């Protein structure tokens, strides 16, 4: 795979990309790449990013050192703001940013200091499907149960897709979900569910398999709904989008599910020279096909469904071009 990645770079250089073959091939040699992770150690973002970092440098010309760094704050927004405003413009800083980066920008959320359209997207390890889980002793096993009684759900802030899913269900499915914010991260939310402090949480199915496989194996949780790509292994669990009947309501939901289509997005700063972005993208794609990487991902219960950087660019343009009318409807759900 490393040979393949080098071949891509050589071909780009031959067509005059960047500043010539020698410059392109040699830039990363002897360098250190900082890999920012905008979420807590031990969570799904952290697990994914560190696995990618273990192999990505091997597929870059010059095999630079790769150093993962957690930068917490505002559900990933602090790391994104840093990547956009303060990171070097040379490709030596990359970051796994929050999945709902496009939604937050489209809504004009406070604290945003970035333009996602100017980030250089490298790729994503997987698309995600969000699920709403309840603890096995909660007495809430279905969406219908959540219509009949209040469900207390724990999350970090209102900027997350977790909060969004609860509000979409309340608006379009008639559920009675009350959200409690303030949890620091996924570990705290999971502990709150186990202790009975809250009835439910929303989480990516891939995150549950990565961080809490014992919950699945021992049937400690009920999965009452999913949102995003429908998962075959959750056959019988209703998808929120399928339960919504009006097309105009589905259009609103699609603004939120752009996060699922981005999955676990990796980007580098604006203004990085194109030849280096191309090298990073080629190395990322080669990593996604590396048999050792895939073996380690399988052992970690991570499903690899990669998204290319060019496709992430298209998704970004599409979401940020959403009509103001649809944006206002979507914003009204999460105010």
């Amino acid at each position: 795979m490393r040979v393949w990645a080098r071949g891509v770079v050589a071909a780009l250089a031959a067509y005059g990309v960047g500043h010539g073959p020698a410059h392109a091939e040699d830039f990363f040699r002897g360098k250190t790449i900082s890999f920012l992770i905008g979420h807590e150690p031990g969570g799904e973002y952290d697990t994914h990013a560190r696995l990618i970092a273990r192999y990505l440098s091997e597929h870059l010309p010059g095999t630079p050192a790769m150093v993962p760094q957690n930068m917490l704050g505002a559900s990933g927004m602090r790391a994104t703001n840093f990547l956009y405003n303060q990171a070097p413009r040379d490709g030596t800083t990359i970051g796994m940013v929050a999945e709902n980066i496009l939604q937050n920008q489209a809504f004009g959320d406070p604290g945003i200091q970035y333009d996602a359209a100017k980030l250089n997207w490298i790729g994503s390890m997987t698309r995600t499907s969000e699920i709403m889980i309840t603890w096995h002793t909660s007495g809430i096993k279905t969406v219908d149960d959540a219509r009949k009684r209040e469900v207390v759900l724990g999350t970090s802030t209102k900027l997350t897709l977790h909060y969004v899913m609860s509000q979409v269900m309340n608006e379009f499915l008639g559920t009675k979900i009350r959200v409690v914010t303030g949890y620091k991260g996924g570990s705290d939310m999971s502990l709150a569910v186990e202790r009975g402090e809250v009835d439910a949480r929303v989480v990516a199915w891939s995150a549950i398999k990565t961080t809490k496989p014992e919950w699945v194996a021992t049937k400690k949780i009920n999965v009452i709904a999913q949102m995003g790509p429908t998962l075959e292994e959750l056959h019988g669990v209703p998808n929120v989008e399928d339960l919504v009947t009006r097309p105009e309501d589905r259009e609103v939901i699609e603004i939120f599910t752009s996060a699922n289509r981005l999955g676990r997005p990796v980007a580098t700063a604006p203004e990085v020279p194109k030849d280096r972005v191309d090298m990073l993208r080629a190395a990322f794609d080669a990593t996604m096909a590396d048999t050792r990487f895939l073996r380690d991902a399988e052992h970690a219960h991570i499903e690899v469904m990669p998204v290319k950087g060019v496709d992430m660019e298209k998704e970004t343009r599409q979401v940020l071009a959403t009509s103001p009318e649809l944006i206002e409807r979507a914003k009204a759900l999460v105010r």
Side-chain angles (χ1 to χ4, degrees):
M1 297 301 168
R2 185 173 171 183
V3 172
W4 175 84
R6 288 177 181 269
V8 171
V9 173
L12 290 167
Y15 280 97
V17 177
H19 306 285
H23 180 87
E25 285 285 345
D26 291 342
F27 175 77
F28 287 112
R29 192 177 309 279
K31 299 288 198 307
T32 296
I33 296 179
S34 297
F35 196 152
L36 302 180
I37 308 165
H39 293 76
E40 64 178 352
E44 189 194 18
Y45 278 87
D46 186 67
T47 302
H48 284 207
R50 289 177 186 277
L51 177 58
I52 293 168
R54 198 181 309 160
Y55 291 98
L56 184 62
S57 64
E58 295 184 20
H59 297 287
L60 276 169
T63 320
M66 187 81 59
V67 181
Q69 299 176 358
N70 296 88
M71 182 178 283
L72 308 185
S75 298
M77 191 183 296
R78 180 185 171 214
T80 307
N81 287 341
F82 179 91
L83 186 67
Y84 187 84
N85 294 291
Q86 296 173 258
R89 263 59 173 157
D90 62 0
T92 58
T93 301
I94 64 176
M96 183 173 284
V97 300
E99 62 187 354
N100 59 347
I101 178 174
L102 304 183
Q103 169 207 308
N104 290 343
Q105 181 176 337
F107 287 5
D109 285 333
I112 287 177
Q113 300 169 14
Y114 62 79
D115 179 357
K118 295 181 181 178
L119 289 171
N120 285 295
W121 296 106
I122 296 170
S124 178
M125 183 174 174
T126 188
R127 297 173 177 85
T128 60
S129 289
E130 302 298 319
I131 58 170
M132 184 171 291
I133 61 168
T134 60
W135 197 240
H136 64 108
T137 58
S138 68
I140 302 160
K141 297 182 179 180
T142 65
V143 170
D144 197 46
D145 291 337
R147 291 188 180 109
K148 295 175 181 176
R149 52 169 284 192
E150 182 181 75
V151 180
V152 181
L153 182 143
T155 189
S156 53
T157 73
K158 292 184 178 182
L159 298 176
T160 65
L161 193 57
H162 310 163
Y163 179 79
V164 165
M165 184 173 178
S166 66
Q167 299 311 296
V168 166
M169 290 177 63
N170 283 348
E171 176 71 15
F172 297 126
L173 305 183
T175 53
K176 300 176 180 179
I177 301 166
R178 177 168 64 87
V179 179
V180 177
T181 60
Y183 290 96
K184 292 181 180 179
S187 298
D188 287 346
M189 295 177 220
S190 293
L191 189 58
V193 171
E194 290 179 318
R195 288 175 172 174
E197 294 174 15
V198 296
D199 301 310
R201 68 165 295 201
V202 172
V203 60
W205 174 240
S206 54
I208 287 292
K209 293 195 296 181
T210 301
T211 63
K212 289 289 184 180
E214 69 276 11
W215 281 6
V216 180
T218 58
K219 298 182 179 179
K220 292 290 186 181
I221 56 172
N222 308 303
V223 183
I224 69 170
Q226 57 181 310
M227 191 168 83
T230 300
L231 297 170
E232 289 294 328
E233 57 189 314
L234 293 180
H235 179 73
V237 176
N239 191 310
V240 172
E241 291 179 83
D242 294 337
L243 295 177
V244 174
T245 55
R246 298 200 312 166
E248 57 268 36
D249 293 338
R250 287 190 177 185
E251 285 184 294
V252 171
I253 294 175
E254 284 177 1
I255 297 171
F256 299 119
T257 55
S258 65
N260 302 111
R261 294 187 290 277
L262 284 186
R264 297 291 175 254
V266 178
T268 190
E271 301 169 14
V272 173
K274 185 177 183 302
D275 55 4
R276 295 174 205 166
V277 174
D278 290 336
M279 282 190 283
L280 288 165
R281 286 179 172 179
F284 189 92
D285 293 346
T287 298
M288 296 299 105
D290 189 315
T291 54
R292 298 165 304 151
F293 168 83
L294 293 171
R295 177 200 62 211
D296 288 350
E298 184 178 2
H299 289 167
H301 307 285
I302 298 171
E303 189 171 4
V304 178
M305 297 184 291
V307 185
K308 290 184 177 293
V310 291
D311 294 325
M312 297 166 74
E313 283 183 359
K314 294 175 185 175
E315 183 70 28
T316 299
R317 288 195 297 269
Q318 181 176 333
V319 173
L320 297 183
T322 302
S323 71
E325 293 78 16
L326 279 179
I327 291 294
E328 285 304 312
R329 280 201 65 205
K331 285 173 66 175
L333 286 179
V334 294
R335 284 199 180 111

